[in-house]
Amino acid sequence: MSVAPDYAAPLIGWRAWAAVDDEHGLALGSVVYATRWPPRERLEAVCVHRPRFGLLARLLRIDPHEAPEEGCECGIYAARTPDLALPYLGRQALVRWSGSPLIGRVALWGRVIECERGWRGTFAYPTHLYLPRATLSRRQGRDARALAGQLAAYGVPVDVLEARTTAGLLAELEARMGALAGAP
Amino acid sequence: MVVPAGAVYPWPQGAPSRVPGAPPTGGRKEGAVEIGRPVRTRIVEPVEDPVPKEAPREPVPEPSPQEPAPAGAPAP
C-alpha cells in the first residue's frame, strides 16, 4: 500500500561539509563520518547498525530497517537553522580526511523524520554551498574562488563568504538568505 | 548512490564509544547536528528531482557536405 506524500517539494536544511580530494576528484564529504557526497547523485542513507555491530545489535534489539526511522538515529541529518550547523565547520578533523570546510543548504526527501531542530532524511543533495574564506588554511594553499569553481560540478550555486568570525558568518548567511527570499 | 556500510552515522544508543572499525568519534552526542528528538515522520516526494541535471552539451554541427561545383565552374 502506498502512502500519500505530505510534501511535493524537498525539505531544506543546513549542513556542514568538507571539500576533499580523493581518488575520484574533489567532492563534498560529511564532517563526522567519512561519507562522500558524489556530484550529480543523490545520497541515500542506510542504517548500518545491524551489519556493523552484529551481536551487539541483536543484544540491543536493533532490527534492520529502512533509514531513517524514528526509533533509531539513522538518516542524513540537516539542521533547521544555520547557527546549528556552523559549529561543525571546525570538525572536519574528526573524519578520516582533512579538507576545506563548507556550510550550505541541503534538500532532504524520501522518508523524513521531523525533529525539534532539524530533520533526518532518506535522500539528500546540496542546494547551495557557502565557502568561508577564513576557514581555508594557508597550509592548504587553496584559493577560495578556484575551489568554488571546482565545486561547480555539483550544479548548485557556490558562494564565498568573507566574514572572519562565527557571528560574522551567521550574519552574512542570514543576509544572503534574506536576499534569496526576496528574489523573484 | 548507496552509502557503503560504515559510512553513515548513527551510533546506536548504548553502544560502547569505541568499536573496532568504527569511526573514532563515537557516542551519540557526537553523531550529528543536535537536531533534537523526533516529532513526526513525513513522506516527501518532490515533483522535480532535486539533483541538478547535467547541462546539455552544445551539439557539434556536422560539416555540411560541399555541394559539387557545377560543371565548368572554376575551382575555388
Side-chain angles (χ1 to χ4, degrees), chain A residues 6-9 15 33 35 38 40-42 44 49 52 70 73 75 77 88 110 112-117 125, chain B residues 1 3 6-7 9-12 23 28 32-37 39-47 51-53:
Chain A
D6 297 299
Y7 300 112
R15 280 190 64 95
Y33 286 84
T35 302
R40 308 275 183 180
E41 287 182 42
R42 70 183 187 186
E44 180 177 352
H49 280 170
R52 183 191 290 176
E70 281 197 29
E73 293 186 350
Y77 281 56
Y88 284 79
V112 179
I113 309 295
E114 183 181 334
C115 300
E116 295 165 317
R117 294 179 295 279
Y125 194 82
Chain B
M1 172 194 176
V3 179
Y9 38 77
W11 202 258
R28 57 180 304 211
V33 173
E34 298 300 331
I35 58 174
R37 289 173 297 183
V39 176
R40 62 182 67 86
T41 298
R42 301 289 196 184
I43 303 299
V44 182
E45 292 182 6
V47 175
V51 180
K53 302 286 180 292

Side-chain angles (χ1 to χ4, degrees), chain A:
Chain A
M1 185 181 75
S2 63
V3 179
D6 297 299
Y7 300 112
L11 296 169
I12 306 295
W14 289 86
R15 280 190 64 95
W17 290 274
V20 294
D21 282 311
D22 60 17
E23 66 268 27
H24 303 294
L26 187 78
L28 297 175
S30 296
V31 293
V32 176
Y33 286 84
T35 302
R36 187 179 192 273
W37 293 57
R40 308 275 183 180
E41 287 182 42
R42 70 183 187 186
L43 186 72
E44 180 177 352
V46 290
C47 183
V48 294
H49 280 170
R50 194 160 179 107
R52 183 191 290 176
F53 295 103
L55 177 62
L56 180 60
R58 285 195 290 277
L59 290 173
L60 294 172
R61 299 180 183 278
I62 299 170
D63 294 323
H65 56 258
E66 293 183 4
E69 191 170 279
E70 281 197 29
C72 192
E73 293 186 350
C74 54
I76 302 168
Y77 281 56
R80 199 177 292 272
T81 52
D83 57 302
L84 292 170
L86 268 176
Y88 284 79
L89 280 180
R91 299 184 68 169
Q92 78 276 13
L94 294 177
V95 299
R96 299 176 189 123
W97 49 47
S98 77
S100 306
L102 295 111
I103 190 168
R105 305 205 303 163
V106 61
L108 294 180
W109 68 100
R111 182 209 295 257
V112 179
I113 309 295
E114 183 181 334
C115 300
E116 295 165 317
R117 294 179 295 279
W119 302 273
R120 295 188 272 126
T122 310
F123 304 110
Y125 194 82
T127 64
H128 205 134
L129 299 172
Y130 299 97
L131 180 59
R133 190 189 299 275
T135 61
L136 296 178
S137 70
R138 289 181 183 169
R139 183 178 58 79
Q140 289 169 323
R142 281 192 154 138
D143 175 73
R145 294 281 170 200
L147 187 56
Q150 289 179 280
L151 291 168
Y154 282 86
V156 300
V158 185
D159 293 338
V160 176
L161 300 177
E162 302 295 342
R164 305 195 66 82
T165 63
T166 302
L169 286 173
L170 188 57
E172 200 172 345
L173 285 169
E174 288 174 345
R176 288 169 185 258
M177 284 170 61
L180 280 175

Side-chain angles (χ1 to χ4, degrees), chain B residues 7-72:
Chain B
V8 169
Y9 38 77
W11 202 258
Q13 297 180 29
S17 61
R18 295 303 296 268
V19 170
T25 49
R28 57 180 304 211
K29 296 285 183 199
E30 294 181 297
V33 173
E34 298 300 331
I35 58 174
R37 289 173 297 183
V39 176
R40 62 182 67 86
T41 298
R42 301 289 196 184
I43 303 299
V44 182
E45 292 182 6
V47 175
E48 293 183 18
D49 188 358
V51 180
K53 302 286 180 292
E54 292 274 4
R57 292 181 180 170
E58 291 286 326
V60 179
E62 292 186 8
S64 57
Q66 291 205 342
E67 294 182 9

